[in-house]
Amino acid sequence: MSTAIKIFQGAFGRVSLLDMSKPLVIHAHHHCHALIKVSGVDSSFLVKGKSQPLTEESVVLINAWEPHAYEHTPSGEGRCILLALYLETTWLSQVLHSLTVSGHPQFFPKPCATLPPGARHLANALAAEMLVSQDIASDILEGKIFDLFMATAERHSSLRDSSPLFSSLRANTMDPRIRRAIGRIRENLRYGENFSELAAESGLSRAHFFELFRRSTNLTPAVYANALRVEAAIAELCQPQLRIGEISYNVGFSAPGHFTRFFRQHLGITPGEYRRVVDLMDDDIDLLL
């Protein structure tokens, strides 16, 4: 069974140290993220329809809203200790303006790259900090996270030649019918389960709606809606006054058991475990974008 060792959460997004032994379903995040093996068996992620190896020498790089799945090992045996950076693109752009393009779907041209030696040292140091630290200042943590991200991603991203991505971001416009549909899903996470009704409200056939949605977001409506559910659940799990049953209903599930299964399928851990291991570095941020 997969477990979470430690999670830091704040304005930067999330950094998770995970002990993975089971695969995850295809899912997506609005974050720009990097996945680094710390120890254990070699593993892999499914990105762009291919298995991307996660080893001591490699890093898996996933763009914002890019569908992917954790595959674990070919044999399904062993455990992989994984350091996962899920970084808010708005935070990255505030730290370094040129990282505005970190939210572009082509920021990382390739999903798997060689992990630079300097990044390996920083990743090991951050993982060790997460294992033993009981108290770390948010500004020091953010510095460590940013240094690791830059050491990992700078040479493997489009940052050095970002002009085409800036132009593409300015020119990109989503179909207004899909934008309205996404707004409806955000307003009511239960609503996202009835995509035929959503298609009809958009004035589209179900097939045309699905095709237009995928063309606009690179995701199916279900994967997009599930991503919103996960982030909404995480935001509410950080509010200790809310019970798991309440959160389950708020994010669109009729029973806590269904919610727990969904959460584990997407993050590898239960909602209760997430709440136990997360360390909030900034508790007044809005995590659901």
Side-chain angles (χ1 to χ4, degrees), residues 136-161:
I136 181 171
S138 59
D139 57 337
I140 294 175
L141 176 63
E142 289 186 6
K144 290 176 180 289
I145 292 169
F146 186 77
D147 288 347
L148 174 56
F149 177 78
M150 292 300 289
T152 302
E154 186 173 16
R155 71 172 67 173
H156 299 307
S157 71
S158 301
L159 185 59
R160 294 179 178 178
D161 184 22

Side-chain angles (χ1 to χ4, degrees), residues 78-93:
R79 310 186 78 87
C80 178
I81 308 301
L82 171 65
L83 181 64
L85 309 182
Y86 303 91
L87 301 184
E88 297 283 355
T89 58
T90 51
W91 176 77
L92 287 170
S93 65

Side-chain angles (χ1 to χ4, degrees), residues 125-225:
L126 180 57
E129 183 87 52
M130 296 178 77
L131 279 170
V132 302
S133 177
Q134 297 299 315
D135 187 22
I136 181 171
S138 59
D139 57 337
I140 294 175
L141 176 63
E142 289 186 6
K144 290 176 180 289
I145 292 169
F146 186 77
D147 288 347
L148 174 56
F149 177 78
M150 292 300 289
T152 302
E154 186 173 16
R155 71 172 67 173
H156 299 307
S157 71
S158 301
L159 185 59
R160 294 179 178 178
D161 184 22
S162 58
S163 296
L165 298 193
F166 271 114
S167 299
S168 176
L169 282 173
R170 287 195 296 267
N172 183 41
T173 55
M174 183 181 291
D175 186 285
R177 293 167 294 186
I178 300 303
R179 190 182 301 279
R180 285 194 296 271
I182 289 173
R184 294 284 286 172
I185 297 172
R186 288 181 184 275
E187 290 170 2
N188 185 351
L189 294 174
R190 289 177 178 273
Y191 191 87
E193 295 177 346
N194 194 338
F195 298 114
S196 295
E197 182 179 344
L198 201 57
E201 286 193 7
S202 303
L204 300 167
S205 69
R206 194 175 190 275
H208 190 191
F209 174 75
F210 269 65
E211 174 58 28
L212 196 56
F213 198 101
R214 184 187 290 274
R215 201 185 310 158
S216 299
T217 66
N218 195 39
L219 298 168
T220 66
V223 171
Y224 195 100

